[in-house]
Amino acid sequence: MLLIGTGALAACGGGGSGDGSAASTTTAAASGGVRLTPGSVTVQRTADAGAADPAVVDALVGAAGAYVRAATVDPLAGRPVRLDDLATAPARPLTRGTDAETLTDAGTGRLDGVTIDARPVPVSVLTDAQGAAVLGTVTIDLTVTGHNARGPVRIHRTGELAFVREGTAWHLDSWRLTVTRDGRGVPPAPRPSTTTGAP
């Protein structure tokens, strides 16, 4: 498993593009999908070649959206969390371990009227010596609102998701996240942050 954070990417040097001026998006989770919009895009190069291919940026944003659906939308709708197909083999056990309290909303219980307000997600891409994108991080800032039988519930999750390119797919490999949960009947907040390793 590659344990990286934005600090590791930034150390490689490179340029960037994008101004991060896109508007936040709000999704009604009952639709099942999650709309994320890219924010600023940064490219870190290990050689002279390498650029922010729009298809790569879209794929990384899509991978982050798939994570949000599996980790938040599904459990809040009463469905099981299924991250195995979205994660690398070394990361899969960690998605079910102690990190799961922060990584997913499995213990929150079913909520009704769920909406997700997502700020634009900055994307950082690391390219190899041939200029191909091999690693990427997506920074999320999500506010989830809904209600249970005891009243309103609010969940705020921020932090970084790191993805590794495996074939044509991007798989979740590590993360650094903070989550707060407010509302009656929800479990106590987990430790302030979680990560699979230091960047």
Side-chain angles (χ1 to χ4, degrees):
M1 183 187 303
L2 293 167
L3 304 178
I4 63 169
T6 52
L9 291 175
C12 299
S17 62
D19 59 11
S21 61
S24 297
T25 58
T26 300
T27 303
S31 65
V34 179
R35 288 190 306 123
L36 299 178
T37 57
S40 59
V41 178
T42 304
V43 180
Q44 310 298 336
R45 304 178 182 90
T46 55
D48 292 338
D53 185 338
V56 168
V57 174
D58 288 346
L60 284 166
V61 173
Y67 154 76
V68 174
R69 177 173 181 171
T72 292
V73 176
D74 285 350
L76 295 183
R79 297 184 291 268
V81 172
R82 291 187 177 140
L83 288 174
D84 280 5
D85 290 344
L86 306 180
T88 61
R92 286 170 198 155
L94 298 171
T95 67
R96 298 183 290 272
T98 56
D99 277 8
E101 293 183 10
T102 306
L103 185 66
T104 79
D105 292 311
T108 304
R110 185 185 178 100
L111 298 182
D112 295 316
V114 173
T115 61
I116 301 174
D117 182 69
R119 300 192 62 170
V121 293
V123 176
S124 186
V125 178
L126 176 66
T127 59
D128 63 14
Q130 288 71 47
V134 291
L135 306 175
T137 61
V138 179
T139 302
I140 60 171
D141 187 342
L142 310 170
T143 301
V144 181
T145 56
H147 60 87
N148 58 22
R150 303 181 66 181
V153 174
R154 180 181 182 274
I155 303 167
H156 184 218
R157 180 175 281 103
T158 60
E160 300 159 359
L161 305 169
F163 296 90
V164 174
R165 190 170 196 165
E166 296 183 325
T168 59
W170 289 92
H171 288 141
L172 181 65
D173 190 60
S174 61
W175 48 85
R176 176 162 301 197
L177 298 168
T178 299
V179 63
T180 58
R181 298 185 180 99
D182 301 300
R184 299 182 65 185
V186 300
R191 53 197 173 126
S193 64
T194 181
T195 179
T196 56

